Amino acid sequence: MFFPAPFRSAAPAVLPAAVALVASACSLSCLQAAPAPSPKSVLEQALQELVRVAETSRGVSPTQLAQRTRPTLEKLFNFETLTKRAVGLGWKELSSDQQKRAVELFSEIIILSYASRFDWDKQLAIEFSAPVELGAGRTEVNALTRYAGNQVNVLYRLETSAGRWTVYDVVIEGVSLTANYRAQFDSIRQRKGGEGLIQLMQETLKQASAKKSS
């Protein structure tokens, strides 16, 4: 990180506080001018962190791995936006408590899903393409993923908020993650309301946890 060189003055009576104030202002402007990480670099860094965590977690259960990868995935994904898109138009019909609970449950479902698919004996190779603008503050990065002898195209859709890029949807071989869940969630919500949706999420998470623990 760049900081300005020390001030030099022929006047020894310059107040230290004034010098510190000017230096702080200059340092702040330098920090503000630094470019924010690109969507591609955000994805690459997250991948490196996930692989590093996974490599130091050999032998743990998917549930334990999910707990260890959670901090990285919480930085990478915008779980509130993911949940809103997965619930669809019915999001506004949920109470504030139901919305909060839905975000908590859906984030756990997604994190456990990622952790349960990791295989320590298979090498993962990803080639990221240049970002493609989707509109103001939104972009899409294609990732050609080679894993366990398969080649899969994954589109990461990101949005910028508070000066950083986060993933709001993932499209795997043309199938949107949020749209896929919305097809399941919307039917239940229309028939059983918000509580029915929360119960479905709880059951989905329970079944996933039991399956991966067995």
Side-chain angles (χ1 to χ4, degrees):
M1 187 176 295
F2 172 77
F3 288 94
F7 284 89
R8 294 182 179 179
S9 173
V14 175
L15 294 176
V19 175
L21 181 61
V22 173
S24 297
C26 184
S27 298
L28 180 59
S29 66
C30 292
L31 290 174
Q32 290 174 333
S38 68
K40 182 179 176 181
S41 65
V42 167
L43 290 170
E44 289 175 335
Q45 181 179 356
L47 172 63
Q48 292 171 0
E49 289 183 11
L50 290 171
V51 170
R52 185 167 58 250
V53 171
E55 284 295 327
T56 58
S57 304
R58 284 178 173 271
V60 305
S61 68
T63 300
Q64 292 173 313
L65 183 58
Q67 294 172 348
R68 298 183 184 187
T69 56
R70 172 180 286 275
T72 301
L73 292 174
E74 285 182 335
K75 288 189 298 182
L76 177 62
F77 286 98
N78 186 330
F79 283 114
E80 182 173 353
T81 302
L82 274 169
T83 308
K84 286 181 180 179
R85 293 174 67 88
V87 173
L89 296 176
W91 176 257
K92 294 183 179 180
E93 297 178 9
L94 304 183
S95 67
S96 58
D97 287 342
Q98 288 173 337
Q99 290 177 348
K100 180 180 179 180
R101 184 59 177 151
V103 173
E104 292 173 350
L105 289 169
F106 193 58
S107 66
E108 291 183 20
I109 291 171
I110 297 302
I111 291 173
L112 181 59
S113 176
Y114 263 70
S116 65
R117 294 179 182 178
F118 191 86
D119 187 340
W120 285 273
D121 296 323
K122 301 292 190 302
Q123 288 189 339
L124 174 67
I126 299 181
E127 297 177 12
F128 292 105
S129 300
V132 176
E133 294 296 326
L134 298 178
R138 291 193 170 185
T139 192
E140 180 178 84
V141 178
N142 183 66
L144 180 61
T145 305
R146 296 183 179 88
Y147 185 70
N150 297 312
Q151 182 171 296
V152 181
N153 276 309
V154 181
L155 291 175
Y156 289 92
R157 290 175 176 166
L158 302 94
E159 62 185 359
T160 182
S161 177
R164 66 189 186 97
W165 290 98
T166 55
V167 175
Y168 69 87
D169 198 7
V170 181
V171 182
I172 304 174
E173 291 294 322
V175 179
S176 163
L177 173 73
T178 55
N180 187 45
Y181 275 102
R182 186 162 59 246
Q184 305 172 47
F185 292 162
D186 198 50
S187 175
I188 293 295
R189 182 196 56 77
Q190 291 186 32
R191 290 188 289 112
K192 298 185 178 181
E195 282 305 312
L197 174 61
I198 297 300
Q199 290 175 7
L200 173 62
M201 287 185 172
Q202 290 174 331
E203 186 61 28
T204 300
L205 180 60
K206 182 179 179 180
Q207 291 176 358
S209 300
K211 181 178 179 181
K212 303 309 177 184
S213 299
S214 59

